[in-house]
Amino acid sequence: MHPPPATAAMDFSQNSLFGYMEDLQELTIIERPVRRSLKTPEEIERLTVDEDLSDIERAVYLLSAGQDIQGTSVIANLPYLMRQNPAETLRRVLPQVRVHEDEHLFIQRVWTSICLSRGGDSEEEHTYWPFLIIQEVLHVAGVDMQLTAAVSFLTILQEESVSIHAYAHSFLQVILLHLEHRDAGVSNAWLETLLSAIEVLPKETLRHEILNPLVSKAQLSQTVQSRLVSCKILGKLTNKFDVHTINREILPLVKSLSQDVEYEVRSCMCRQLENIAQGIGTELTKSMVLPDLIELSRDENSSVRLAAFETLVNLLDIFDTDDRSQTILPLVKSFCEKSFKADESILVSLSFHLGKLCHGLYGIFTPDQHLRFLEFYKKLCTLGLQQENGHNENQMSPQILEQEKKYISVRKNCAYNFPAMIVFVDPKNFHMELYSTFFCLCHDPEVPVRYTIAICFYEVSKLLNSGVYLIHKELLTLLQDESLEVLDALIDHLPEILELMSTGGESSAQENKLSALPDLIPALTAAEQRAAASLKWRTHEKLLHKYACLPHIISSDQIYYRFLQRMLTIMMTNNVLPVQKAASRTLCIFLRYNRKQEQRHEVIKKLIEQLGQGKSYWNRLRFLDTCEFIIEMFSKSFFCKYFFLPAIELTHDPVANVRMKLCHLLPKVKSTLKIPADKHLLQQLEMCVRKLLCQEKDKDVLAIVKRTVLELDRMEMSMDAFQKKFYEKDLLDQEKEREELLLLEMEQLEKEKQQNDGRPVSDKIVEKKRRDTKTSTNLSKSTPVSVPVPSSATPSSKEIKKSKLIRSQSFNNQAFHAKYGNIEKCTSKTPAAGYAAPVPGLAKSSVLSLADDSFRPRNASSLPTAFSNTSLPSTSRGTGSNSADSKTNGSKDTQPRKATLKSRKSNP
């Protein structure tokens, strides 16, 4: 390294030291304002309030002698003070007001005179004394205090803290006094308060306090602000008086303000004509309001013409067919023609109200006018796209940029009105008339346009019905959109859209499932990966929740190979807890729908080994979340067979958080047991809880364990036989087991049928058996325990196979085409809701198909060997002394089952 130059060495000469001193002095000067900003002892004393003062005493003191910010705080607290009873408090109030500024001297004099002159002790008198001070304070108050007072007065009105008469007596004059405040924001705030008060004030008060002074306030000699306020008040007063009073006192003022010399006043009055028309009725509207609207629609100012156009659109329902065809339609035609030629300012509003125009003028258009209006809409949908030539925004002038923003708003409004235009042209003509326009909107270069059309996509799909296949490609385009905002808008109704796509509107679901959407799975996986790679975890969470509908759309194998492993990966690697829980819930639904025993066992094994026995405590926490979902969605026997022991083994977990979470889950775990079949599992649960009580060293976990023990002791165990207390829960669980067993047999019988002949069952037989399934469901509700059929009455094995297969396919058809919203409803924790639903409703929810050998009824002691092969560690439902009980209890149910299996073997 080279030595530093001599000039760079520090110089401690006298001149250099003086330079350092000057720098220090500059720093001292900089610090001085900071020191001066600190409060002096005198200022601190002035800001100190006696703690013994009540709320009312403190409010009066701060309004009289406090600073502006303190007064603003008091006024913001007025709604709370008005809810109190200030009578006794004000009886003892004699504030020692210490005025610190000249502008507060008159307040002290007013307050002193009030205190000395009060003669009555009525509650109402004491209640409203502070508002005399508030009225005086508001004379010199700033903008913040004025805005706060307006909001507080409105809150007091809405909460009905005082009677209407008292409000009008104490507050109305203060509100009217500040309507014409020099600050526009303050004036508007007081005006909103007044308009809300008009709704509840009596007619006499409105006439004397508001309507009579309004005659002078609406004159040309008054300020523009005063006339604008008069317009809005007139629009509100119309609904409070009879037609005769309106015609005599209000309509002349309306006529005068509609012809005001200032365009702001004409525009404001024009927008109030809608309220006035609703108050005076159809006849007076035609004779008094419609001529003014027609005149205002031809005004020289564009904002007045725009207000007239929007008011006409909103009043379409009032006018009859003749008025619409002879008066409104020519005006609309004129607006459309002028919007491109001379007045582009109304394009945004015109495009926004196109849907209302289509609805209001439906049936009036001639074929030529209908075609012209449709062409006008198509032109608006591509407005500005033809002019894009790759210009850089930095090189564009401000006028061009403003015009581009306007064009984007027009196309966005057109996308918003697209469903209305489908109704306008008839869905049968969609492909010929509007498909190209829909394609352009879905591929628009601007995100707001694509976002809006994504929101409307579900409505478009419903309107097209059987023609929904026409927009399959557009669905894939929006799923693969580069903007996550577009994806977020689309997935709100993704389950319903995919169901319409898979069923083809009116076609059979099983025939068309995925046949016309070969690229759906890649689009869905790409959408999930884009959401996972972004920082918008809420979009990712929502998408994972919506993926729970996929079993209705695609096959079980496709879910297993393309989505199920991805859900497990998200649970183990994602860092966002809501996303992990959403993936866990969706994985459980996938598992519930899975149709292959081998795949189910593999998933269960991964859940236990990679999550329940994982090295990361975070994974073990997610395993407990998964157990909670399993308890909700699956039958009790399934949970006890595969997840009971792995769950309670976590009582020995080295991490306190895992043990703590398990303690919260233990009551639900215990609710899955039935006595005496699960007596050995109950003993293991009690043993684990005892070890926690004896060996737990973490004080937080120990406290939760003690509370959990008390809760477990209070729980009543359900028995194998039906109990009155648990009747609904037991019946729901029996329905789950019955349906799971039915789907298990369906899997086996479908394999046998594929080996024999791969021909599908006819639609007529499926529909017939579907009705049989509904009938059997109703019977199962009334008779919870099924009565076995004697073996002598058992039909042939071929008929049994055919009947069960068709019945299973019927159930499967109902289950896989349920609304996803019903799935969420039926997986709720309320057992009564599940019991009230019929079997198809249950199939739509938490009791959907998972064919497994663990789904046998608890009292069944035998099943075909093909159903019982498993390599997973499972929990025996009864061992030792319980085996004889289970055999005894299940003998009646198993005999017909054995007879059926014997007949099946004898007749291959």
Side-chain angles (χ1 to χ4, degrees), residues 630-681:
I630 292 291
I631 293 174
E632 291 179 10
M633 298 179 188
F634 291 78
S635 64
K636 296 178 180 180
S637 60
F638 178 86
F639 177 81
C640 290
K641 184 176 180 63
Y642 291 118
F643 291 94
F644 185 90
L645 290 180
I648 64 174
E649 283 177 1
L650 293 178
T651 54
H652 309 292
D653 196 275
V655 179
N657 287 353
V658 178
R659 302 194 301 273
M660 191 181 303
K661 189 175 183 66
L662 176 62
C663 290
H664 289 295
L665 187 63
L666 284 180
K668 292 184 178 180
V669 172
K670 185 178 179 181
S671 67
T672 62
L673 301 178
K674 284 189 176 183
I675 300 299
D678 299 324
K679 186 176 181 180
H680 64 293
L681 296 180

Side-chain angles (χ1 to χ4, degrees), residues 435-453:
Y435 174 74
S436 59
T437 302
F438 185 72
F439 178 87
C440 292
L441 292 174
C442 291
H443 292 81
D444 195 276
E446 299 298 332
V447 173
V449 181
R450 304 197 305 273
Y451 173 84
T452 307
I453 200 64

Side-chain angles (χ1 to χ4, degrees), residues 339-340 344 346-348 351 376-388 403-412 414 437 440-441 444-446 449:
S339 61
F340 279 111
E344 289 189 350
I346 66 172
L347 273 177
V348 177
S351 61
F376 175 75
Y377 171 76
K378 292 180 180 179
K379 190 173 182 181
L380 290 180
C381 289
T382 57
L383 186 64
L385 297 180
Q386 299 86 352
Q387 302 176 3
E388 294 183 0
Q403 188 181 46
E404 287 296 324
K405 291 180 180 178
K406 184 189 300 183
Y407 290 162
I408 293 172
S409 299
V410 170
R411 300 200 302 273
K412 177 183 175 182
C414 289
T437 302
C440 292
L441 292 174
D444 195 276
E446 299 298 332
V449 181

Side-chain angles (χ1 to χ4, degrees), residues 1 66 128 203 232 234 405 532 558 655 755 765 902:
M1 296 178 58
Y128 303 113
K203 288 185 179 180
K232 296 179 181 180
L234 284 173
K405 291 180 180 178
Q558 290 166 329
V655 179
Q755 294 175 0
I765 300 179
K902 289 179 181 179

Side-chain angles (χ1 to χ4, degrees), residues 68 103-104 106-107 134-143 145-146 178 182:
D68 289 344
E103 63 184 18
H104 291 292
F106 72 95
I107 300 175
I134 293 173
Q135 184 173 353
E136 301 299 333
V137 169
L138 290 177
H139 279 296
V140 293
V143 173
M145 187 178 291
Q146 291 274 356
H178 297 89
R182 59 182 178 274

